[in-house]
Amino acid sequence: MNTSRPRGPGRPALTRTDGAPLRVLVVDDDPDLAEVLSGALRYEGWEARTAGDGASALAEARELLPDAIVLDVMLPDTDGFALLRSLRAVRPDVCVLFLTARDAVEDRIAGITAGGDDYVTKPFSLEEVVARLRGLLRRAGMARQLEDGPRLTVGDLVMDEEAREVTRGGELVELSPTEFELLRLLMRNPRRVLSKAQILDRVWSYDFGGQAHVVELYISYLRKKVDAGRPPMIHTVRGAGYVLKPAVR
């Protein structure tokens, strides 16, 4: 699989028709693959959860009520085709993208017959999966494209991704390119704790080895610009990482 990340900037943001983040459930018994896929979807600004078997997938679907499901055909307790019938009972209109290591025509036919909307064969690129999902959601009328450019909002903090402008409470916040990318990652994952390793990988795109203190340094820069004189939004979770959430007033 090509794990290069799809980049949100350069293409219009996609949201639910009510403006809320799209919700996607990734079902695959390979936890590493599931995390990579869900990370790519979160980078699009969507809410993504994972499940490793049929039972947990049903539980997550009942809670999340996803707009789309990325579904592996081969699962430890069932197969994706059978699971889809149960998922449709929970979410009848959900868009389904099947993943499989098999490339036989019979499998493609079985997937479509079972109610799947599209089919991707492993190995695949993250860019392809995201593009297929965007297409499915638009065609199903479950998503809309932001007309005024990609904009992220968490509490009174607003980021215009195309203009590369950030405001808090209506006041402009001047950021360096790296600070902007770090804040964008935090804003695309509100209320989610991100570890230093995740931040290094997604913002700097390579491992600094023992120099994870670079994350602490840039978090401190952001706090001075985003939180200075205001109720804090950027929080340290000791031993786990950092999280951005609306300020408590």
Side-chain angles (χ1 to χ4, degrees):
M1 180 185 64
N2 177 358
T3 57
S4 61
R5 286 180 193 81
R7 298 287 293 179
R11 65 179 169 214
L14 207 64
T15 71
R16 301 184 74 210
T17 53
D18 61 3
L22 287 159
R23 300 188 294 252
V24 185
L25 176 61
V26 178
V27 185
D28 197 295
D29 63 348
D30 181 339
D32 293 331
L33 175 58
E35 181 57 32
V36 168
L37 278 170
S38 62
L41 300 177
R42 293 186 190 105
Y43 197 67
E44 287 291 307
W46 303 351
E47 181 179 355
R49 297 190 191 179
T50 64
D53 54 47
S56 57
L58 281 172
E60 288 286 358
R62 291 189 181 100
E63 181 178 340
L64 180 64
L65 296 178
D67 303 300
I69 298 174
V70 180
L71 180 56
D72 190 14
V73 170
M74 302 297 293
L75 295 169
D77 58 346
T78 184
D79 67 74
F81 305 139
L83 176 59
L84 178 55
R85 288 190 285 272
S86 300
L87 291 169
R88 289 285 191 201
V90 175
R91 190 76 160 143
D93 299 327
V94 68
C95 296
V96 176
L97 176 66
F98 273 118
L99 303 178
T100 183
R102 299 177 298 183
D103 197 20
V105 173
E106 312 87 77
D107 292 330
R108 294 172 182 263
I109 293 173
I112 300 302
T113 302
D117 300 291
D118 205 348
Y119 204 101
V120 175
T121 303
K122 299 176 183 177
F124 51 80
S125 71
L126 296 181
E127 185 72 38
E128 178 184 11
V129 172
V130 172
R132 295 279 189 103
L133 285 173
R134 288 171 67 93
L136 286 177
L137 289 161
R138 280 199 302 264
R139 289 194 294 274
M142 301 180 74
R144 71 179 179 90
Q145 193 165 291
L146 294 182
E147 300 299 332
D148 57 352
R151 188 177 294 266
L152 302 174
T153 303
V154 180
D156 62 350
L157 184 65
V158 179
M159 172 180 285
D160 185 323
E161 295 185 278
E162 284 191 347
R164 296 187 70 84
E165 288 184 352
V166 175
T167 59
R168 178 151 185 206
E171 296 182 10
L172 188 65
V173 179
E174 298 283 354
L175 299 176
S176 71
T178 301
E179 290 166 351
F180 184 90
E181 291 301 326
L182 175 55
L183 183 60
R184 170 156 49 193
L185 175 64
L186 293 170
M187 292 187 71
R188 285 185 169 184
N189 295 273
R191 296 186 175 87
R192 180 175 180 234
V193 178
L194 298 174
S195 69
K196 291 179 183 178
Q198 288 175 311
I199 293 172
L200 280 171
D201 181 51
R202 298 183 192 183
V203 176
W204 281 269
S205 300
Y206 63 91
D207 187 358
F208 270 73
Q211 300 183 42
H213 65 271
V214 70
V215 177
E216 299 172 12
L217 182 63
Y218 273 88
I219 287 288
S220 71
Y221 291 161
L222 271 188
R223 281 181 168 140
K224 290 174 183 176
K225 296 183 176 183
V226 172
D227 287 345
R230 306 179 179 99
M233 295 183 68
I234 302 170
H235 302 271
T236 300
V237 179
R238 191 173 299 278
Y242 302 96
V243 61
L244 178 81
K245 52 189 176 182
V248 177
R249 297 183 179 278

